[in-house]
Amino acid sequence: MALADGATAAPRPQPDSDDVTWIEPPLCPECGISVRIYPTNYDRWVSLAMVELPAKDVPEPFRWRLTRLPDPSPISTDIAAVRVRGIDPLPGDPVVPAHRMMCVPEWGEP
């Protein structure tokens, strides 16, 4: 399921009190663009784009939403990425695309 969804990102490292680099968003190793890395609702991590787009502009396999988790959650975070499935969103509904949809290796190189 994780491979099909593209949820293969490594988890963010634990923050160190003396190092503030963890505050900055990580960069994609292939294209160098900033990404957001979130845990999924099934114990994997996914790289997401930094922007939300209307659902009509994002192909179905790349649609994600960020959702708050209930208090007694098994995942140690308050926000998780959830794939948009089942009921299709309206064309104008905002979704967060997976970064792999927007990733262009060697971005900016001629």
Side-chain angles (χ1 to χ4, degrees):
M1 187 166 142
L3 286 175
D5 287 346
T8 58
R12 297 283 310 257
Q14 290 296 322
D16 180 10
S17 60
D18 295 333
D19 183 15
V20 294
T21 57
W22 63 271
I23 296 172
E24 296 295 322
L27 300 176
C28 172
E30 293 183 30
C31 66
I33 295 177
S34 298
V35 296
R36 296 188 287 181
I37 298 178
Y38 280 97
T40 65
N41 57 335
Y42 51 88
D43 199 29
R44 294 289 186 259
W45 294 76
V46 64
S47 296
L48 300 177
M50 298 294 286
V51 297
E52 288 185 344
L53 295 174
K56 67 180 179 174
D57 296 336
V58 180
E60 188 274 329
F62 301 104
R63 294 177 185 163
W64 290 82
R65 284 209 174 109
L66 298 177
T67 186
R68 291 205 171 276
L69 296 175
D71 284 336
S73 170
I75 303 171
S76 61
T77 185
D78 60 341
I79 296 177
V82 178
R83 277 267 291 118
V84 177
R85 291 195 177 140
I87 300 174
D88 286 335
L90 295 174
D93 286 350
V95 296
V96 181
H99 173 71
R100 66 187 175 127
M101 179 191 111
M102 304 177 87
C103 187
V104 179
E106 301 162 8
W107 186 263
E109 302 239 346

